[in-house]
Amino acid sequence: MQWLDAIIQGVLLGGMYAQYALGMALMFGVMRIVNIAHGDVMILLSLIAVTLAGVVPVGNLGLILLVVPIAVALGWVLQKFILNKVVGADPLPSLIATFGLSIALQNLMLEIWSADTRSLPSSGIASESFNIGPIYVGLLPVIVLICAFCITAGLDGVLRFTRFGRGLRAAAADTEAAAMAGVNPKKIYATATAIAVGILGLAAVFAALRATVSPADGPAQLIYAFEAVIIGGMGSIWGAFVGAMVLGVAQAVGLRIDPGLGILFGHLVFLAVLAGRPQGLMARK
Amino acid sequence: MSEPILSTHALSGGYGDFQALFGVDMHIDPGEVIALIGANGAGKSTFLKSVFGMLPVAKQMVRFDGADVGGTPAHKMVRQGLAMVPEGRRLFAGMSVEDNMRVAIDNARLPEDQGQWTRDRLFDLFPILGEKRREMVENLSGGQQQMVAISRALLCQPRVLLCDEISLGLAPKVIREIYAVVPEISAAGTAIVLVEQDVSLAKSASNRLYCMLEGRITLSGASGEISRDEIATAYFGGSHAVA
Ligand SMILES: Nc1ncnc2c1ncn2[C@@H]1O[C@H](COP(=O)(O)OP(=O)(O)O)[C@@H](O)[C@H]1O
Ligand SMILES: [Mg+2]
C-alpha cells in the first residue's frame, strides 16, 4: 500500500511537472529553441501571481485568468524581441541569449521580491482533500493533473490538425521552405512561444498554490521540464506528459526509499532513459 | 502587348559582401515558359532566391504584376502569386504528403476551391501521391518527393512558378514524367521559370531561354532559334558573347 501511495502521489506530482514541461515540449521539442530562462520565467509569473493576489482579491480562478494573459504577452514579447533574432539551425545563439536572460531575470526578481520564499494562501478548493480507500489525495494536485492532461490533449490536437500546427511543424522542419509555402515563420514562432509561456502562466499559479517559490528556484524547474521532454522524446507532446509522470513517480518512489533520495532518483531515471533509449519513450522510429 | 507578369531590372545581389548577381534583366509573360540555364555556381539559385525575397535586393529591381516588389519577404510573395520548387526539394520532414500540401493550401493566394489546383487534381496528375498521401515524406523516393514539392508549390495557386533544377538526381523516366506536367501548368495561365543544367531538356520544355554565366545573362532568345554553339559559348564563357 505504501508503494501504491507513492505511485499515486508521484503521478500527481507528475501533473505539476507536465505543466512545466508542455511549454518546453513546444519550444525545445518542436521548435528546437533552447530556452534556459524557462524556469525563471515561470518563477517570475508565480511571484507576479503572489503579488497580484495581495492586491486584487479575485480568488484562484480569477488569478489564473489574470496571470495567463500576462504570460501570453510575455511569451510573445520574448519571441518577438529576443528569440526571433537568434533562431536558426544552430541552437547555440538561443542558448546563450536565454542564459543571459535567465541570470538577468533571477537578479531582477531578487531585487523586487528579495530571497524570501512565498506562496499563495491555499484556501478553499486548494486545501481540500479526499480519501481513496486508505490513500489520502489532495484535491489541488488532482485538479493540476486534470488540467495537465487537458492541455496536453489540446496542444497535441492543435499541432496535428490546425493551420497553426501545420505551419509550426513546417517552420520547425525547414524555416526557409516554410516561408516559400507562405508561412510567416516569425509570426508563427511568436504565437507558439506565447502559447508555451501562457501554459507556464497556469503552471505558475498552481506552483505557488501547491508549494513555495523564491527567485532562485527557476533552474530546478528548468531541469524537471527538460528531463520530462527528453524522457518522453523530442517533438512528442504526449511524450512530455508521460516523461513528467515518469519523473514524478521516480521522485515519489525514491522519497519512500530514503527521504533524501527523491530528487536524485528522478535524475537517475532520466539518465537511465538517456542511456537505454536516447530518442525518448514516445519518439517515432 | 501586355506587361510581363514578372520582370527584373538590373538585379544585383548576393550573400553579404559576396556579390553573385550583376545587373540581371529578365522578363516573363503570363503562360510563358522560360528556361534559365548555366553551369554550377553561375548564380541561378541566387537569382530565384533574390526574386522571391529571400535575399536582400532593392525594391525596383523586381516587378511583379505592375508593382515594385523587390525585397518583399517570401511569405508575402506567395500571397501575390509567386511559388517556388526549391533546389533539393526541401520538404517538411516528419509530416505526411498531405500535410506538406496542406501547409501550402493554408497560406495560398486563393482558397483551394477557388484556385486552379486542388489535391484531387494533383492526385490525378501524380497518382502515386494519392496512394501515399498519409506516408511521411522522408519515406518517399526522390521522384515522388519531387512530385510533392511541385504539388506543394502549385497549391499556392501561383501566377508564376519558379522551379530550381527539378530534374536533378532523378532517373530519365521520372524526369519525363515530371516534365510532362509543365504544359498542363502553363496551359492554366501560370508562367514558369525553369532553372536547369540539362540544356536539351531546358530547350525542349521552354518558349524562351536565358543563359547565365558568373552572375550575368550571356545569352537570351527563343528556345527554338538558339544554336548549340551559341549556348556552348554563353554557358562556358570564353569569347563572352552577349546577346
Ligand atoms: N549561402 C551562400 N552563401 C555564400 N555564397 C553562396 C551561397 N550560396 C551560393 N553562394 C555562391 O553564390 C554563387 C552562385 O551560386 P548559386 O546561385 O547557388 O549557383 P547555381 O544555382 O547557378 O548553381 C556561387 O559562387 C556560390 O558559391
Ligand atoms: Mg542552384
Side-chain angles (χ1 to χ4, degrees):
Chain A
M1 199 47 74
Q2 191 197 356
W3 298 114
L4 182 64
D5 184 48
I7 288 169
I8 289 175
Q9 302 306 333
V11 166
L12 292 174
L13 181 62
M16 194 67 246
Y17 289 165
Q19 292 202 5
Y20 301 160
L22 282 168
M24 174 76 85
L26 196 56
M27 290 188 66
F28 178 52
V30 179
M31 294 151 73
R32 302 289 158 122
I33 293 175
V34 184
N35 178 13
I36 299 290
H38 184 85
D40 306 299
V41 169
M42 198 208 75
I43 298 298
L44 173 68
L45 290 164
S46 284
L47 291 171
I48 289 174
V50 171
T51 300
L52 274 176
V55 183
V56 279
V58 286
N60 294 331
L61 187 62
L63 201 55
I64 288 172
L65 294 178
L66 276 178
V67 172
V68 170
I70 294 174
V72 167
L74 188 66
W76 192 81
V77 167
L78 180 67
Q79 185 70 38
K80 176 107 178 147
F81 295 103
I82 299 177
L83 296 177
N84 270 345
K85 310 268 189 278
V86 293
V87 289
D90 182 3
L92 200 57
S94 67
L95 195 146
I96 292 167
T98 56
F99 187 66
L101 180 67
S102 162
I103 293 181
L105 278 180
Q106 285 180 38
N107 284 313
L108 179 77
M109 290 188 286
L110 212 53
E111 196 63 40
I112 298 176
W113 283 281
S114 80
D116 300 348
T117 57
R118 287 156 202 274
S119 67
L120 288 166
S122 52
S123 57
I125 216 170
S127 55
E128 285 172 33
S129 66
F130 55 93
N131 288 346
I132 306 176
I135 293 167
Y136 168 91
V137 178
L139 183 57
L140 179 65
V142 171
I143 293 172
V144 169
L145 179 65
I146 291 170
C147 284
F149 183 88
C150 294
I151 298 167
T152 305
L155 193 58
D156 184 69
V158 162
L159 275 184
R160 272 179 211 281
F161 302 120
T162 67
R163 173 175 189 237
F164 164 77
R166 282 188 293 272
L168 181 64
R169 284 185 290 146
D174 188 332
T175 310
E176 212 177 43
M180 287 185 232
V183 175
N184 181 350
K186 296 206 158 166
K187 189 173 152 206
I188 221 156
Y189 274 20
T191 309
T193 303
I195 292 173
V197 179
I199 296 170
L200 220 43
L202 185 69
V205 175
F206 281 129
L209 278 170
R210 267 195 75 143
T212 61
V213 287
S214 76
D217 288 348
Q221 322 300 336
L222 169 73
I223 293 295
Y224 298 148
F226 204 64
E227 288 180 344
V229 171
I230 302 274
I231 290 173
M234 294 282 286
S236 167
I237 300 297
W238 278 109
F241 183 84
V242 170
M245 295 300 132
V246 170
L247 200 61
V249 170
Q251 287 189 3
V253 168
L255 201 67
R256 292 303 148 94
I257 297 170
D258 182 307
L261 216 58
I263 307 282
L264 178 67
F265 215 69
H267 295 320
L268 289 177
V269 167
F270 163 69
L271 290 175
V273 171
L274 209 56
R277 200 177 152 81
Q279 75 275 35
L281 299 176
M282 303 266 293
R284 260 183 294 125
K285 270 183 281 185
Chain B
M1 190 64 212
S2 63
E3 199 184 355
I5 177 78
L6 173 71
S7 56
T8 64
H9 305 270
L11 188 147
S12 298
Y15 305 88
D17 287 340
F18 177 76
Q19 189 173 356
L21 298 170
F22 301 86
V24 176
D25 290 310
M26 201 176 275
H27 62 91
I28 183 166
D29 291 329
E32 196 180 23
V33 183
I34 66 167
L36 172 59
I37 61 171
N40 216 346
K44 306 181 297 294
S45 299
T46 306
F47 175 75
L48 295 187
K49 284 193 243 172
S50 301
V51 168
F52 209 173
M54 286 150 63
L55 291 170
V57 294
K59 201 164 173 131
Q60 70 280 3
M61 287 179 179
V62 182
R63 268 181 92 72
F64 186 85
D65 194 25
D68 291 331
V69 296
T72 306
H75 67 269
K76 289 191 182 154
M77 294 301 284
V78 171
R79 300 288 193 292
Q80 304 259 319
L82 211 55
M84 168 129 82
V85 185
E87 190 170 15
R89 308 187 265 273
R90 310 274 296 263
L91 297 181
F92 306 128
M95 295 174 70
S96 68
V97 168
E98 189 159 14
D99 273 358
N100 266 263
M101 293 177 161
R102 292 188 67 169
V103 172
I105 294 169
D106 288 336
N107 299 284
R109 180 172 67 93
L110 297 170
E112 192 182 18
D113 55 9
Q114 287 171 33
Q116 298 267 3
W117 300 97
T118 61
R119 273 167 286 179
D120 286 340
R121 185 168 172 200
L122 289 159
F123 292 148
D124 283 342
L125 217 52
F126 303 119
I128 186 72
L129 296 190
E131 283 167 38
K132 304 215 167 195
R133 62 201 286 173
R134 307 214 184 287
E135 192 79 48
M136 294 293 151
V137 287
E138 57 268 33
N139 300 335
L140 269 52
S141 73
Q144 292 162 1
Q145 289 186 1
Q146 192 62 273
M147 292 169 194
V148 178
I150 292 169
S151 302
R152 184 178 67 183
L154 288 174
L155 286 165
C156 294
Q157 315 293 347
R159 292 194 283 173
V160 179
L161 178 67
L162 312 174
C163 299
D164 198 348
E165 307 214 23
I166 50 177
S167 67
L168 199 69
L170 302 182
K173 179 176 170 290
V174 181
I175 294 175
R176 273 197 299 279
E177 209 177 323
I178 282 175
Y179 264 85
V181 306
V182 168
E184 180 154 357
I185 299 169
S186 60
T190 306
I192 307 175
V193 180
L194 290 174
V195 163
E196 264 302 336
Q197 285 200 46
D198 183 330
V199 176
S200 47
L201 191 61
K203 266 186 89 172
S204 65
S206 61
N207 309 117
R208 281 188 306 117
L209 179 147
Y210 290 88
C211 187
M212 185 177 270
L213 175 69
E214 291 169 2
R216 294 177 174 83
I217 299 297
T218 47
L219 177 69
S220 68
S223 303
E225 293 163 15
I226 297 180
S227 74
R228 295 224 133 237
D229 285 350
E230 282 178 297
I231 290 178
T233 315
Y235 201 96
F236 297 110
S239 66
H240 266 290
V242 177

